[in-house]
Amino acid sequence: MALHPFLVSLGFTDAADLDAVERRFLEVVKDQVQKVSLNYDEDEVREEDAYLRELHGRFFQYTVQWVLQESKGHAATTLPEAVKVRKQARAVLEELQKHMTEFACCYMQINRFMTLLRDEIRQEETRLAGHVAQGVKWTSDAGSVISRYKQQKKILLETCQRLQQARIVLQELEPHFYKIQQNISRLAGADKIETLQRPFIAALRMHDFKRARAALAAMIETHKKFGVDQKAAEQMVDEVRLAGTYIIEACESNQAVMSSDEGRLYLKPLETDQAYNAQVRELRKIKAFLSKYYMPYMQFKLDMLMHLKDKLLVNGSVESLMTLYKRMITGIARPLPDIKTLRLYESEVLDRVQYLLGGQFQEVPVILARAEETVREFRSGAEEFRDIENLDISEIGSENADQSTAVTTGTI
């Protein structure tokens, strides 16, 4: 008689009893769990997961055939009271098989996650040698601060980018502001510059471009000082008009990037530099906090996986579930010769299986989903840290600020 294909796949060359098949099957499952725990390739892991499921499917198919074969010679020797119990056992057998498969796959994945996270923590400890805060413990408060800082960091970086864009526009506007000052000084006198520009600047600050145009017209129409050549005056008025119109149009089209948090327009690079430096200082605080809690955060996520593994093992282990399954099918296939044996089977096997199916096994997919989420959070936290670690968060120097504001100091 040819050996069963499943036994051949397990390496048997001769017929074997159920105990031997079960032991060999568990060895293969454990080897598979160990093999996958060292695998970083997600595509390969999906294939290994599919293999583990297929392996369980073939094992359960083999055991069902074993039950059918074994029970043929015992039908007449079963207690009448056992018929109902065995019927109940057969009714939940397939569901038990399904959940045992999910349990084994979940166990395999969590083991793998824990191995990967341990490796990544060791790599980071090596990379950050000498720069890891000592004696820092993870707290729930730290977790809420990190969540808040992640959102804040995003906003700060967006603001920094916007301020850099605004600075480019403002640098382009500086010569036009300078041209207005220069020509007003020649037309009406240096002492009139601030008085004549103030309404124009105030209107621009408040996004009131209609009023800014009116203020520009008022500047142009102001009384000229004595002795100004008419032709030269007309040319200066044209330059003021052109410069002022350019400024208004530039502010109007770029107001989204030039607006401060208070809703007022920045009008000189010094202002955006000061705002930019304020954002940089906040980013430095975030970087310092993340640096302090980075390794404790990673260890916390690993501890979370260990907790989830413990929670999974409330169901039992792969070995204990297999023992339960073997007792289940043995009770279906072989006689329950007396009432004591029947009640023992009922309480220790069938009731236990129904308890697991009714509650504990329902947690397995939840545990796996939480483990996957924990790994994503771990990776996201690591990426967040490396991202801010590599950021250039240096302030704009005062020498740059001095150069950028020389032509507008005291007037805007």
Side-chain angles (χ1 to χ4, degrees):
M1 183 177 175
L3 196 62
H4 194 284
F6 180 67
L7 298 184
V8 174
S9 71
L10 292 181
F12 287 100
T13 55
D14 298 309
D17 62 21
L18 184 63
D19 289 343
V21 174
E22 176 225 356
R23 286 193 298 272
R24 178 58 187 148
F25 172 72
L26 283 176
E27 289 174 5
V28 174
V29 169
K30 289 178 182 178
D31 288 345
Q32 183 71 3
V33 169
Q34 180 62 26
K35 176 183 176 183
V36 170
S37 70
L38 302 173
N39 198 325
Y40 278 79
D41 189 304
E42 298 296 336
D43 291 334
E44 289 183 7
V45 169
R46 279 190 287 272
E47 292 177 3
E48 299 292 353
D49 181 88
Y51 169 74
L52 186 60
R53 292 176 184 277
E54 190 258 345
L55 179 67
H56 274 77
R58 287 190 288 123
F59 172 74
F60 291 134
Q61 186 181 42
Y62 170 80
T63 58
V64 168
Q65 292 174 358
W66 178 88
V67 168
L68 292 173
Q69 186 66 32
E70 188 73 14
S71 61
K72 284 180 181 179
H74 302 295
T77 60
T78 301
L79 281 175
E81 295 89 342
V83 173
K84 180 182 176 181
V85 173
R86 295 174 70 180
K87 184 178 180 181
Q88 290 175 334
R90 283 194 296 270
V92 296
L93 185 61
E94 187 175 343
E95 190 177 359
L96 175 61
Q97 293 170 349
K98 182 187 78 170
H99 283 291
M100 286 177 64
T101 303
E102 294 301 325
F103 178 91
C105 291
C106 180
Y107 181 78
M108 178 182 72
Q109 291 288 7
I110 290 181
N111 264 6
R112 173 177 177 261
F113 291 153
M114 290 175 62
T115 301
L116 297 188
L117 263 58
R118 284 194 188 99
D119 286 349
E120 291 181 38
I121 288 173
R122 281 195 290 266
Q123 289 168 10
E124 284 299 279
E125 286 175 336
T126 301
R127 188 177 70 84
L128 298 172
H131 300 283
V132 177
Q134 300 297 319
V136 179
K137 299 295 183 182
W138 180 260
T139 65
S140 58
D141 290 342
S144 60
V145 173
I146 281 183
S147 296
R148 187 172 72 249
Y149 273 171
K150 283 182 179 180
Q151 294 299 320
Q152 189 177 347
K153 188 197 86 165
K154 180 181 177 183
I155 294 171
L156 289 170
L157 290 175
E158 289 172 352
T159 302
C160 284
Q161 185 178 24
R162 181 170 57 80
L163 289 170
Q164 289 173 323
Q165 294 171 346
R167 193 179 201 279
I168 293 171
V169 176
L170 293 174
Q171 285 178 313
E172 292 175 354
L173 295 184
E174 279 196 299
H176 298 280
F177 277 114
Y178 180 72
K179 189 170 288 185
I180 291 174
Q181 293 177 45
Q182 190 179 45
N183 284 294
I184 287 177
S185 177
R186 292 165 61 192
L187 281 169
D191 58 326
K192 299 289 181 66
I193 294 175
E194 187 170 349
T195 302
L196 292 174
Q197 273 199 322
R198 189 181 299 116
F200 179 66
I201 298 302
L204 290 175
R205 291 273 190 211
M206 302 310 296
H207 305 252
D208 192 341
F209 303 111
K210 181 178 179 181
R211 188 157 62 92
R213 288 184 174 89
L216 176 61
M219 272 196 293
I220 292 169
E221 294 167 4
T222 189
H223 182 72
K224 314 298 186 292
K225 68 181 181 181
F226 181 76
V228 177
D229 179 75
Q230 183 62 30
K231 186 175 181 180
E234 290 175 359
Q235 183 179 350
M236 286 185 279
V237 165
D238 286 341
E239 289 183 359
V240 170
R241 180 184 295 108
L242 289 172
T245 300
Y246 182 88
I247 290 170
I248 292 170
E249 290 176 352
C251 289
E252 194 168 12
S253 60
N254 292 283
Q255 55 185 311
V257 297
M258 291 170 61
S259 294
S260 68
D261 291 339
E262 294 78 25
R264 294 161 62 86
L265 284 190
Y266 295 115
L267 292 177
K268 54 185 176 182
L270 175 62
E271 296 168 352
T272 55
D273 291 349
Q274 290 172 337
Y276 181 89
N277 289 345
Q279 312 302 308
V280 166
R281 287 190 288 272
E282 289 301 313
L283 284 169
R284 283 178 179 163
K285 289 180 185 178
I286 294 174
K287 180 178 181 178
F289 186 88
L290 291 180
S291 298
K292 179 180 178 181
Y293 282 99
Y294 176 47
M295 295 310 299
Y297 172 81
M298 297 180 84
Q299 184 60 49
F300 168 70
K301 290 302 178 184
L302 177 58
D303 292 343
M304 278 289 296
L305 286 180
M306 295 172 68
H307 170 72
L308 289 169
K309 183 177 180 179
D310 290 340
K311 190 175 180 181
L312 176 69
L313 294 178
V314 168
N315 295 299
S317 62
V318 172
E319 294 87 349
S320 66
L321 289 175
M322 185 56 65
T323 299
L324 181 65
Y325 178 76
K326 189 172 67 172
R327 291 183 67 187
M328 179 90 158
I329 61 174
T330 301
I332 295 173
R334 292 173 179 168
L336 299 168
D338 52 59
I339 198 68
K340 181 180 178 181
T341 305
L342 174 63
R343 296 295 174 236
L344 199 63
Y345 180 79
E346 238 184 331
S347 61
E348 292 186 359
V349 179
L350 184 57
D351 288 352
R352 172 63 178 166
V353 169
Q354 290 174 331
Y355 169 75
L356 290 172
L357 294 178
Q360 293 297 323
F361 274 143
Q362 306 302 321
E363 288 295 308
V364 172
V366 177
I367 291 170
L368 180 57
R370 186 67 189 96
E372 291 170 342
E373 182 184 0
T374 299
V375 173
R376 285 195 297 271
E377 290 171 349
F378 177 95
R379 299 266 166 75
S380 173
E383 186 178 342
E384 198 84 33
F385 174 77
R386 287 191 289 268
D387 181 48
I388 199 166
E389 183 185 37
N390 295 326
L391 278 178
D392 177 14
I393 47 178
S394 55
E395 296 183 37
I396 297 175
S398 58
E399 65 278 3
N400 294 334
D402 291 342
Q403 292 170 10
S404 68
T405 59
V407 298
T408 55
T409 301
T411 61
I412 298 179

